[in-house]
Amino acid sequence: MLQNREGQRVPNVTFRIRENNEWKNVTTAELFDGKTVAVFSLPGAFTPTCSSTHLPRFNELAPAFFANGVDAILCVSVNDTFVMNEWAKDQEASNLVMIPDGNGDFTEGMGMLVDKADLGFGKRSWRYSMLVKNGVVDKMFIEPQEPGDPFKVSDADTLLNYINPTAKKPDQVVVFTKVGCPHCARAKAVLAENGYDFVEVPLDNKIRGKVLGAVSGKMTAPQVFINGQLIGSADEVEKRFAK
């Protein structure tokens, strides 16, 4: 039976971390004492849901967490430090602190250690998230005990909504471009000047017309979308942000 540890202190554990080719000890006291910390724990680095959704969304929403009183966001997994370091390089994880719970001591102390021997994983963490204040668990979101790997409540949006239901989330911006396009460069410059962190999707000329026609109904690059809304070309982006 998984254990909800709200109101209890996090386990007293020392993590062995490899940093700059040197071993380093990091204690839970260093990570949690005197701080407000968001934690999400998952079954394993490089696994599908963890890599495609759970970790990326916490990294993406990190500015909103920090703006609402969270000092750090920890990603915990029962993996060794080498695996966690390589996973961090493979992911966009610059806003996160990767915690290798290689022996499972922290996870076991949280009552979240489960047996995934049927997958060849051995002992791993059940998926959950929590808010910890000065070393005491304030709130936990534990995935339901169902077969497989449920992902329903431990997501970043749910935890952020608990902290502040009206928190301003970063805008999601994508720019469809073509190589060497001066209008694309102009649109990107306007977005950058206005503080937008965007994803650029360069399109090869063989597919550009079909892709842009399908997503925007227009055939020319760039095409800019913000939070699912079509803004349009460079001229339309400039018009939107004209002062």
Side-chain angles (χ1 to χ4, degrees):
M1 179 65 68
L2 302 175
Q3 302 173 26
N4 189 313
R5 294 293 179 113
E6 291 176 6
Q8 301 180 35
R9 290 196 63 82
V10 295
N12 183 20
V13 172
T14 298
F15 301 101
R16 291 286 282 162
I17 294 177
R18 190 75 172 172
E19 192 175 273
N20 298 322
N21 288 323
E22 294 183 355
W23 287 104
K24 178 181 177 182
N25 288 337
V26 177
T27 66
T28 45
E30 294 174 89
L31 293 171
F32 292 102
D33 286 2
K35 303 173 185 176
T36 297
V37 181
V39 180
F40 65 104
S41 191
L42 36 80
F46 293 103
T47 53
T49 301
C50 305
S51 296
S52 65
T53 309
H54 207 176
L55 182 148
R57 187 60 171 164
F58 267 99
N59 189 69
E60 183 180 2
L61 290 185
F65 277 98
F66 299 149
N68 285 277
V70 172
D71 297 301
I73 303 173
L74 275 52
C75 173
V76 179
S77 182
V78 182
N79 290 113
D80 65 66
T81 184
F82 293 100
V83 170
M84 292 295 277
N85 287 348
E86 289 303 311
W87 192 36
K89 293 177 186 177
D90 183 68
Q91 294 280 312
E92 293 182 5
S94 58
N95 296 313
L96 310 176
V97 180
M98 307 297 278
I99 301 299
D101 187 26
N103 294 328
D105 295 336
F106 182 85
T107 302
E108 184 175 24
M110 285 299 304
M112 292 289 121
L113 195 66
V114 296
D115 188 352
K116 288 185 174 285
D118 59 322
L119 299 176
F121 283 14
K123 301 290 186 180
R124 294 296 180 101
S125 176
W126 191 250
R127 196 184 296 276
Y128 69 95
S129 67
M130 62 180 176
L131 184 69
V132 182
K133 296 183 177 181
N134 192 28
V136 176
V137 179
D138 177 76
K139 180 66 175 179
M140 288 188 75
F141 292 97
I142 305 168
E143 292 298 335
Q145 290 182 264
E146 300 173 355
D149 180 24
F151 182 47
K152 300 177 179 179
V153 299
S154 63
D155 57 284
D157 292 85
T158 297
L159 187 59
L160 180 61
N161 185 64
Y162 168 75
I163 295 170
N164 180 6
T166 63
K168 176 68 171 67
K169 298 177 182 179
D171 292 298
Q172 295 182 309
V173 185
V174 64
V175 185
F176 291 97
T177 65
K178 65 179 180 180
V179 177
C181 166
H183 302 295
C184 301
R186 185 156 52 95
K188 291 187 291 182
V190 172
L191 290 170
E193 288 168 4
N194 284 275
Y196 282 89
D197 183 18
F198 57 85
V199 174
E200 180 177 0
V201 181
L203 297 174
D204 182 88
N205 62 349
K206 294 180 181 179
I207 63 169
R208 183 166 56 248
K210 292 181 179 179
V211 171
L212 293 180
V215 300
S216 71
K218 301 181 180 182
M219 308 294 284
T220 58
Q223 292 299 320
V224 177
F225 289 79
I226 299 179
N227 297 329
Q229 177 188 0
L230 172 63
I231 307 303
S233 65
D235 289 342
E236 290 163 318
V237 171
E238 287 183 334
K239 185 183 299 184
R240 179 184 178 95
F241 295 106
K243 297 178 180 179

